Amino acid sequence: MQNFDQSFPMLLNRALDAVMPTYRELFTRYNLTEQQWRVLRVIWTSKNVTSANLSERTLLSPPSLVSIIDRLEKKNLVSRVRSVDDRRRIYVVATAEGRILQAEVTPQVLAIQTRIRNCVSDKEWLAMEKTLQKITEGMQSPEQSLAAKA
Amino acid sequence: MQNFDQSFPMLLNRALDAVMPTYRELFTRYNLTEQQWRVLRVIWTSKNVTSANLSERTLLSPPSLVSIIDRLEKKNLVSRVRSVDDRRRIYVVATAEGRILQAEVTPQVLAIQTRIRNCVSDKEWLAMEKTLQKITEGMQSPEQSLAAKA
DNA sequence: GGTATTTAATTAATACATTAACTATTTCAC
DNA sequence: GTGAAATAGTTAATGTATTAATTAAATACC
C-alpha cells in the first residue's frame, strides 16, 4: 500500500476541493467566509450557545473562534453576552440583522447540499456516512487498529 | 434535508479531525508540518517536479507552496533549481539530507495509513473511494445535479 | 520583429489553523 | 474558608488558505 495519492486525507481533501468552491462562491456574495457561516448557522438554530459549544459543533478550534466571532460582531451579525451565573462563560447570540441574512442564505446552502447529495444514490451516501463513522471511531479509540475490521 | 451537521463538508471535516492528529504527532517529531510532508513525499518519488506539478499533486495552492518551499529550503530538505530551457519554471529537488528523513518517516506514515485502512473492510473502502469520486466528478462538471444519480 | 496574450512563480492582504501559554473564574478537597 | 486543580475564553507565535494583483519569461499573431 505504497499509494499516498489514495491515502485517506488526500481522498477527503480532493473531495473537499471539489465541493467547497461552490459554497464559497455563495458565501462571498454575502461577504461571509465558510467558517463564519458555520458559526452563524449554529447560533441561528440553537439557544444559549457558548464558545465551547460552537467549537464542538463547528469543528473550529477555540482560538480560531475568537477572531471569527470578532469579525461577525463587527459586522453586527452576532454579539457576545457574558453569562451571569458563570462569569467565565460567554454566549454568542444572533442579531436581528443576522436573521435577515439567515433567511437569504439558508435556502441557497440547502440547494448546494441537495446538489451534492444527488451525485450519488441514497444507498451509496449512507454507506459512505457509515464508513466515515467507522474510521472516525476507529481512530478515536487509541491504537485498536487490527481488531475492528468488521 | 435540513441537517447541516450531516452535510458533506462536515462529514469529511469530522473524519479529517479524527485522523490528522495521528499524522501530526508523527510529523511534529521530525519538525515537519503535514503540508511540508506532502511536498516532500512528492519530490521524493518523482523527477523534475515544478511548483505547478506540486500544486496538482499536493492539493496545495501555488501561493501556499511558496512559503512552504521556502521553509523546506531553509531546513536544507529541498532546493529550488531554475529551469534552463524555460526560465519561468522552477524545479524543486530533494537534498541528501532530505533523503535521510524520507527513509525514517515513510514507513511510519505507511503504518498510519494501514491503521486507517484496517478500520473498515476492503469492500467498504472501495465503495467509499467510488462515492467520493462520483461526488468529485459530479461537482466538477458544472450544474449537472439531478441527472447523474447512478 | 514588435506588440498582445499566455504562463509560471511570486507578492500582498486578509482570514483561519495549530500549539502553547495565560487570565479570570469556578470547583474541589482538605 | 483556603489553596490546588479544573474550566472558559483569550492571547501569542508560527504556519497555511484564499483571492487578486504583480513580475518575468515565453508564445502567438500580425
Side-chain angles (χ1 to χ4, degrees):
Chain A
M1 210 267 280
Q2 180 62 265
N3 204 337
F4 294 106
D5 296 310
Q6 295 303 112
S7 71
F8 190 61
M10 291 302 274
L11 286 174
L12 298 201
N13 280 313
R14 245 191 306 279
L16 280 171
D17 283 1
V19 304
M20 292 319 296
T22 305
Y23 283 101
R24 276 193 216 108
E25 200 175 326
L26 166 59
F27 297 142
T28 301
R29 286 208 295 280
Y30 293 93
N31 193 28
L32 292 175
T33 65
E34 189 230 334
Q35 292 87 342
Q36 290 169 12
W37 157 260
R38 280 200 238 169
V39 169
L40 287 174
R41 70 99 177 158
V42 169
I43 70 168
W44 285 339
T45 55
S46 309
K47 294 195 168 181
N48 300 338
V49 180
T50 66
S51 275
N53 294 335
L54 276 176
S55 184
E56 283 177 58
R57 301 195 46 199
T58 62
L59 310 180
L60 301 169
S61 68
S64 293
L65 280 170
V66 173
S67 59
I68 294 170
I69 295 171
D70 281 350
R71 288 184 196 97
L72 289 174
E73 225 177 3
K74 260 179 206 160
K75 293 191 223 179
N76 264 306
L77 296 175
V78 310
S79 67
R80 284 180 168 96
V81 178
R82 191 167 286 274
S83 166
V84 187
D85 24 294
D86 185 342
R87 294 187 42 72
R88 291 170 302 183
R89 213 168 300 181
I90 286 188
Y91 294 114
V92 182
V93 302
T95 63
E97 198 170 330
R99 293 293 181 184
I100 298 170
L101 201 63
Q102 175 182 25
E104 276 230 48
V105 180
T106 302
Q108 300 185 62
V109 172
L110 289 173
I112 296 175
Q113 322 224 113
T114 301
R115 195 180 144 206
I116 296 173
R117 264 300 306 250
N118 285 338
C119 288
V120 300
S121 70
D122 287 5
K123 194 179 155 196
E124 282 176 300
W125 182 271
L126 290 173
M128 180 188 69
E129 277 191 0
K130 202 171 169 186
T131 303
L132 291 175
Q133 181 70 22
K134 270 192 191 178
I135 292 172
T136 299
E137 285 171 2
M139 296 300 290
Q140 228 74 315
S141 55
E143 302 306 313
Q144 284 136 5
S145 58
L146 307 169
K149 261 234 167 186
Chain B
M1 211 267 280
Q2 179 63 265
N3 204 337
F4 294 106
D5 296 310
Q6 297 302 114
S7 71
F8 191 62
M10 292 302 273
L11 287 174
L12 299 202
N13 280 314
R14 246 191 305 281
L16 280 171
D17 283 1
V19 303
M20 293 319 297
T22 306
Y23 283 101
R24 275 192 218 108
E25 200 175 324
L26 165 60
F27 296 141
T28 300
R29 286 207 296 282
Y30 293 93
N31 193 29
L32 293 174
T33 65
E34 188 231 333
Q35 291 86 342
Q36 290 169 11
W37 156 261
R38 281 200 237 169
V39 169
L40 288 175
R41 70 97 177 158
V42 168
I43 69 167
W44 284 340
T45 56
S46 309
K47 294 195 169 184
N48 300 337
V49 179
T50 65
S51 277
N53 295 335
L54 277 176
S55 183
E56 283 177 57
R57 300 197 45 199
T58 61
L59 310 180
L60 301 170
S61 67
S64 293
L65 280 170
V66 173
S67 58
I68 294 169
I69 295 170
D70 280 350
R71 289 185 194 95
L72 290 174
E73 224 176 4
K74 261 179 206 159
K75 295 191 222 178
N76 263 305
L77 296 175
V78 309
S79 67
R80 286 180 167 97
V81 178
R82 190 166 288 273
S83 167
V84 188
D85 24 293
D86 185 342
R87 295 188 41 74
R88 291 169 304 183
R89 214 168 299 179
I90 287 188
Y91 295 113
V92 183
V93 302
T95 64
E97 199 170 330
R99 293 293 180 184
I100 297 170
L101 201 64
Q102 175 182 24
E104 276 230 49
V105 180
T106 302
Q108 301 185 63
V109 172
L110 289 173
I112 296 175
Q113 320 225 114
T114 301
R115 195 180 145 206
I116 296 173
R117 264 299 307 248
N118 284 339
C119 289
V120 301
S121 69
D122 287 4
K123 193 179 155 195
E124 282 176 299
W125 182 272
L126 290 173
M128 180 189 69
E129 277 191 0
K130 200 171 169 185
T131 303
L132 291 176
Q133 180 71 21
K134 271 192 190 176
I135 291 171
T136 300
E137 284 170 2
M139 295 301 288
Q140 227 73 317
S141 55
E143 302 304 315
Q144 284 137 3
S145 58
L146 306 168
K149 260 235 172 188

